[in-house]
Amino acid sequence: MVSSSDAGLRRSGYRHALLLGVVLATLISSVHGKVTPCAVATWKFGEIAVREAARWLAEGHSAVDAAERAVNAVELDTQDQYFVGVGGLPNRDGVMELDAAIMRGRGYRLGCVLAVQGISTPVSVARKLMEHGQHTVLAGEGAKTFALENGFKEENILTDESRREFELWKREQNFTVDKEASHDTIGIICRDETGELVVATSTSGWKFKLPGRVGDSPLVGSGFYVDQACGAAVATGDGEEIMRGCLSFLVVERMRMGDSPTRACEHAIARLRAIQSSGASFQGENRQHKKLTVGIVAMNTNGDVGASSTLGMICEGLKNSSSLHAQALPISTGANQHFLASSGSRWEQELAENR
């Protein structure tokens, strides 16, 4: 019999991971008249995405190319993260169902795929839908059919290790999810040298979820939103809670009203707490974690970044760095470990402390 320690070894480093490990990279443009490309992502494993985005942006690629390739890097990674794409955890029936979305600031163009099976890079399917599809959102078999008709290959994306963990859960957990060990979403915001903002998300969702469950990640306004006139936001954490307040849309609208990214994120977290106190939340039954766990990252059109979370976090910018790769800075806050990774970052003076 496989022990829980054996099956969960690779995930143990993330069982008490941060709510919102912000990863930020800023690239200094040497081309006159161009704005500074930059990227920011959620969670510690977002460093994988930011490294890839930094490479693409430094080569002059568009923000939409950079965002897609950055998320692909996480979707296909099975070593450094265990929460998105290949290597993620399946639903209650042992089937992998993936959600992803991408949206451009210019033109409000977007594509979203929900509960798609057998496709390793769902964010690329979402981009294909955004650019060539008749619709904006496709789910389940429809999303899979669209992917196959557009050249994507069906694959087995449930790894042996994830299958073993699922089988262990069935035997030992009696179909009760360990909320402390739940996983989460990659969300990234990219700005290219033309100034365009693009957001992208991808997730395998709440582990051992009911088949067909969809969280906030691929839902416009909840898990992500961008408006070229004012900024972009991505959310992470308890999707059922994030959806109640359309938090990403709220953050972008607050930036439209003049809030800094940090203030906009803090306002959204305060709004979520107000929704919770009104009795809209089901006492944690619909949460992925044991306590309310939601974080938001935002970027305005100037490239200023802000964040806030329900758990509280403290981030400090690492300035005067010429390195293009991200480096992790652990910061302890109570029982939670928070990480900031930055590269030549341009942060606001106050960043990401929940109030």
Side-chain angles (χ1 to χ4, degrees):
M1 179 176 177
V2 181
S3 70
S4 58
S5 59
D6 291 332
L9 182 60
R10 65 168 180 159
R11 303 175 200 272
S12 61
Y14 291 89
R15 289 186 183 275
H16 300 288
L18 68 165
L19 162 66
L20 191 63
V22 179
V23 181
L24 177 71
T26 302
L27 312 179
I28 305 302
S29 174
S30 60
V31 182
H32 181 70
K34 303 289 187 180
V35 302
T36 303
C38 48
V40 61
T42 56
W43 295 93
K44 173 66 168 70
F45 62 81
E47 182 178 346
I48 300 168
V50 167
R51 286 175 183 271
E52 189 68 9
R55 185 172 71 84
W56 279 76
L57 291 170
E59 293 174 359
H61 292 282
S62 68
V64 70
D65 285 341
E68 178 193 7
R69 296 304 180 122
V71 172
N72 284 163
V74 182
E75 290 173 329
L76 297 174
D77 182 83
T78 59
Q79 299 300 315
D80 296 324
Q81 68 83 29
Y82 314 105
F83 317 112
V84 177
V86 180
L89 289 169
N91 65 22
R92 193 177 66 176
D93 293 341
V95 177
M96 292 289 289
E97 291 182 325
L98 307 183
D99 306 322
I102 191 166
M103 182 176 183
R104 301 186 68 159
R106 291 177 181 151
Y108 305 95
R109 299 179 64 187
L110 71 153
C112 315
V113 292
L114 286 56
V116 62
Q117 300 179 12
I119 304 297
S120 61
T121 53
V123 76
S124 294
V125 181
R127 180 179 179 180
K128 180 69 71 172
L129 183 63
M130 175 180 72
E131 295 179 342
H132 303 289
Q134 182 180 5
H135 307 297
T136 297
V137 181
L138 289 176
E141 283 298 317
K144 181 178 178 180
T145 298
F146 175 84
L148 297 178
E149 289 177 348
N150 282 275
F152 292 86
K153 303 299 183 185
E154 185 172 4
E155 303 175 65
N156 176 19
I157 56 176
L158 179 64
T159 64
D160 290 340
E161 193 165 4
S162 292
R163 182 181 292 106
R164 286 194 296 270
E165 189 159 343
F166 167 71
E167 291 170 351
L168 174 66
W169 170 75
K170 283 200 301 183
R171 289 195 301 269
E172 295 189 351
Q173 298 297 322
N174 192 28
F175 291 94
T176 300
V177 174
D178 177 1
K179 294 189 176 185
E180 278 299 312
S182 290
H183 50 125
D184 227 290
T185 305
I186 180 67
I188 191 167
I189 305 170
C190 293
R191 184 182 73 160
D192 60 29
E193 61 185 19
T194 74
E196 181 172 21
L197 291 167
V198 173
V199 295
T201 65
S202 185
T203 187
S204 54
W206 191 330
K207 75 174 187 177
F208 314 142
K209 61 194 174 186
L210 289 174
R213 180 264 183 184
V214 174
D216 68 291
S217 302
L219 302 185
V220 62
S222 291
F224 67 96
Y225 197 73
V226 57
D227 187 325
Q228 193 61 36
C230 48
V234 289
T236 187
D238 293 319
E240 277 71 7
E241 302 290 353
I242 293 167
M243 287 185 280
R244 299 180 194 284
C246 293
L247 293 190
S248 291
F249 180 76
L250 175 59
V251 167
V252 172
E253 288 303 295
R254 292 296 303 190
M255 288 191 288
R256 187 192 310 279
M257 295 167 63
D259 279 1
S260 69
T262 293
R263 295 300 186 193
C265 290
E266 290 173 343
H267 178 90
I269 292 299
R271 172 62 178 154
L272 181 62
R273 292 194 182 282
I275 292 172
Q276 180 191 24
S277 65
S278 72
S281 179
F282 295 110
Q283 303 302 318
E285 292 178 8
N286 62 328
R287 291 185 198 152
Q288 189 172 338
H289 307 88
K290 288 183 177 179
K291 56 184 176 180
L292 182 62
T293 303
V294 171
I296 311 171
V297 180
M299 181 187 295
N300 64 18
T301 54
N302 295 324
D304 299 321
V305 172
S308 189
S309 80
T310 58
L311 297 185
M313 58 176 292
I314 300 173
C315 293
E316 297 175 358
L318 298 181
K319 300 183 178 180
N320 303 318
S321 171
S322 60
S323 171
L324 290 183
H325 67 274
Q327 53 188 353
L329 172 67
I331 304 172
S332 296
T333 306
N336 300 303
Q337 187 99 54
H338 301 286
F339 294 83
L340 166 69
S342 173
S343 176
S345 304
R346 183 177 170 216
W347 286 85
E348 296 182 75
Q349 282 300 28
E350 338 173 24
L351 196 127
E353 182 174 7
N354 180 47
R355 296 181 179 178

